[in-house]
Amino acid sequence: MRAKHAMTTSITNLLGSDGPIARALGEGYEPRPQQLEMAERVAGAMADKSHLLVEAGTGVGKSFAYLVPAIRRCLANGEKVVVATNTIALQEQLVHRDIPLLASTINEDPDDPNADPGWSGRLKPVLVKGRGNYVSIRRLKLASGRQDKLFADAGAKRSLHVIEDWAYDTEDGSLATLPPIERPGVWDKVQSDSGNCMGRRCPHYQECFYQQARREMEQANLLVCNHALFFADLALRARGSGMLPVYQHVILDEAHGVEDVAADHFGVRVTEGRVFHLLSSLVSGRGNKGFLPQLVIGSGDMGAVERAISLVRIADAAARDFFDEVLVLSQTDEAQGGRVRRAGAVDNPLTPAMNDLVIRLRSLRDEVQNDADRFELNAYAERATAIANAAEVLVDQTVEGCCYWIEAGGSGDERSRRRTNVTLACSPIEVGPLLEEHLFGKEHSVILTSATLATRTIEPDEPAERAETAFAHVLDRLGCEGAETLQLGSPFEFGKQVELFVDRSMPAPTYGGRTSGESFEDALALRIMDHVAATDGGAFVLFTSLRTLDLVAARLEGPLESLGHPALVQRAGVSRTRLLDDFRADPRSVLFGAASFWQGVDVRGEALRSVIITRLPFDPPGRPLTEARLERIKERGGDPFREDSIPRAVIRFKQGFGRLVRSHTDTGRVVVLDPRIVTKSYGRKFIESLPAGVDPVLLGG
């Protein structure tokens, strides 16, 4: 058998009207010139180990366009390709539909006498998940045997029993197939964890779900993961370690969200929930539940355990003092909008208390005779160390080039009451330099693709140097200046399929103010009712603020329901999947959604006939990281609004607009209830970003 496999069928033939993919898909298959062009450019970038940004309009079929050349690199060159997406839906589509289809249809030229018919067996795709997604059989048995001492309430025990029943039937052992449980925190006691992994010493090593998944990952050549895992791995690689195997090519789909995910994973955070979950896992209730109270020391010296329990209580008090002070700081003028501008703005009793606890846990680890307890103690010590280090970094602001801020709910000063989780966090203001060094500066190709990367539609025959300016914002923000760019329009006829209405009569949106005696929310409610009536429902109403969404929904839920239009409202605790299922089930329904409904939502057919955009999606000016980015541009002498605020808003606007048409047969209207799109000079940039043939119809004068 040949060491390397030469695939002789061209990409054009594979994706063409008479190719194997067309034959597999049957009469519904339509070859798309845009898809062929994208596939050829992706193949070229992979061959050259260069970087390519592709904006591929809806309907181009970009997953096939990058998977075909990726599979060819895996098979013909023995290389590994990583594909990272932002949504579970797309990962499942790739792993369960697209890749199996391509693996079963891509073939060699049947007239080639040197063809190797067994090549398809060498394509080894795998869905890569983080370690914490897998149950540890050893830890599950440990928790089951100690449940009366570990868990303080019946709900936690019931949750453990659900996990037990599932664990002995599941094939993959991952959270994706776990039924809902009452106490999600119980998973922490049974999940696979690097800190307490016994490796080959574990009696369940061979049957371990995580180890099986890791072996599959190491043997795979086409790896599919989410953005969070990819950038967590990249951040680890920057510190000398990593999770993913060495790869030769990276494809980042849904790449419009890459900057935010990268910033999050190159940042640091410490949360109230994380800290108290760790401490309550060690000691809970009145001190007679949790890991430490059930611990037995080989010497019989229970005083060592009592000292550890005492240090947990000290750490608990220190954590309460720490997060109370952080919460108070967030309510002062010094931390307007939650931003913390100076080091030492709060005291830090948390780090020394956690460090003392770490020393005691490690001392106990050396005293216990039970291997299982030894590894559990090691894991708890590692987690406590991470909290201590994170708190120190955040309070002392030791990482340069970062924005530091507080996320806090609740307003009170009652120390004993339960409140919304308080978080102290930081992220790099600019991730471009980090990505330039750790992603684009390495010896592999990087392909970024999305339906929205450019800030305007490039005109036909536009000079290349001007065409590149459409990608200038993303090239700069991601640190990939010099990468090739490609914009591919949609094969859909948007000019015939979409009506765009702009309501000039709306008052200009304000932040909490009133205009001409009519509140912005009242005006929105009236216009939304009119446009819902025009399409008899079937509408997405997209907001940029949850507060505005709540106020408008409160005005409209009753009137809509009375007219037979179910009002589906995005609220805390309401599943996005459930909302979408309900929306698809009733063609007269109206869905009120914010950020997560502007992108990654695919509703085809008659169910969605109208997308109502209540406001141009500019970042809230008080968001700490946004504020820091704008300040950095201003410090360099730039124009923050034009260089950053407008491009970001344009790309999000394109995402919202793109919810309407998902196929050749979809039709409907997009309504913009923000008059600035036609009354402000910058509004033209939003219009210019839309597909050719889409022209606004002005309402209200």
Side-chain angles (χ1 to χ4, degrees), residues 134-384:
Y134 294 95
V135 67
S136 164
I137 297 300
R138 179 186 66 80
R139 296 193 73 214
L140 176 60
K141 289 185 174 182
L142 185 69
S144 179
R146 299 175 174 179
Q147 57 185 285
D148 289 337
K149 295 180 178 179
L150 285 177
F151 302 118
D153 67 281
K157 293 179 183 178
R158 286 193 296 268
S159 297
L160 178 67
H161 298 157
V162 170
I163 296 173
E164 286 182 294
D165 292 341
W166 159 81
Y168 298 114
D169 286 331
T170 179
E171 294 183 0
D172 73 343
S174 81
L175 275 170
T177 58
L178 177 67
I181 56 177
E182 290 179 67
R183 302 287 189 269
V186 172
W187 180 257
D188 179 68
K189 306 294 191 300
V190 302
Q191 70 180 12
S192 181
D193 186 310
S194 60
N196 54 36
C197 177
M198 297 177 69
R200 294 183 181 276
R201 295 171 57 189
C202 177
H204 302 282
Y205 179 78
Q206 291 301 324
E207 62 187 301
C208 174
F209 291 112
Y210 171 72
Q211 295 297 341
Q212 290 176 11
R214 185 170 183 82
R215 287 191 288 270
E216 289 179 10
M217 180 186 72
E218 293 292 345
Q219 296 167 5
N221 47 20
L222 183 56
L223 298 89
V224 179
C225 65
N226 62 23
H227 285 174
L229 187 146
F230 178 80
F231 285 103
D233 175 77
L234 200 67
L236 286 173
R237 286 170 183 261
R239 298 192 289 269
S241 59
M243 298 176 287
L244 296 172
V246 175
Y247 46 80
Q248 285 71 49
H249 309 281
V250 179
I251 300 168
L252 298 175
D253 201 345
E254 301 176 306
H256 54 275
V258 158
E259 182 185 6
D260 288 339
V261 180
D264 186 52
H265 283 85
F266 277 97
V268 179
R269 63 177 49 227
V270 62
T271 68
E272 191 174 27
R274 173 187 170 195
V275 173
F276 289 120
H277 179 70
L278 170 64
L279 296 175
S280 64
S281 295
L282 289 167
V283 183
S284 64
R286 297 185 176 181
N288 61 348
K289 301 290 184 181
F291 177 76
L292 288 176
Q294 59 79 43
L295 195 62
V296 177
I297 301 298
S299 63
D301 178 16
M302 294 309 295
V305 174
E306 289 299 325
R307 287 192 291 275
I309 291 174
S310 175
L311 287 172
V312 170
R313 294 194 179 105
I314 291 172
D316 183 278
R320 293 182 187 281
D321 288 342
F322 176 76
F323 286 109
D324 281 348
E325 190 171 351
V326 170
L327 180 61
V328 169
L329 176 64
S330 73
Q331 298 162 356
T332 66
D333 291 339
E334 183 180 356
Q336 287 187 355
R339 189 168 175 192
V340 183
R341 292 179 177 270
R342 67 178 179 90
V346 295
D347 291 332
N348 180 17
L350 182 58
T351 293
M354 281 292 179
N355 282 335
D356 288 344
L357 177 59
V358 168
I359 293 171
R360 175 55 53 191
L361 293 175
R362 287 176 176 164
S363 176
L364 287 176
R365 179 191 62 188
D366 296 335
E367 294 182 47
V368 296
Q369 294 180 329
N370 184 303
D371 275 348
D373 286 335
R374 186 174 295 115
F375 281 95
E376 290 291 315
L377 284 164
N378 184 71
Y380 283 124
E382 285 188 1
R383 290 161 63 184

Side-chain angles (χ1 to χ4, degrees), residues 13 17 21 36 59 222 248 251 263 266 332 393 420 468 490 497 548 677 681 694:
N13 289 336
S17 58
I21 298 172
L36 291 172
L222 183 56
Q248 285 71 49
I251 300 168
F266 277 97
T332 66
V393 164
T420 304
E468 269 193 19
S490 170
Q497 293 176 251
T548 305
I677 196 171
S681 60
V694 177

Side-chain angles (χ1 to χ4, degrees), residues 100-118:
L101 173 67
L102 293 174
S104 68
T105 56
I106 295 177
N107 210 333
E108 294 233 32
D109 185 341
D111 297 325
D112 179 4
N114 297 315
D116 177 3

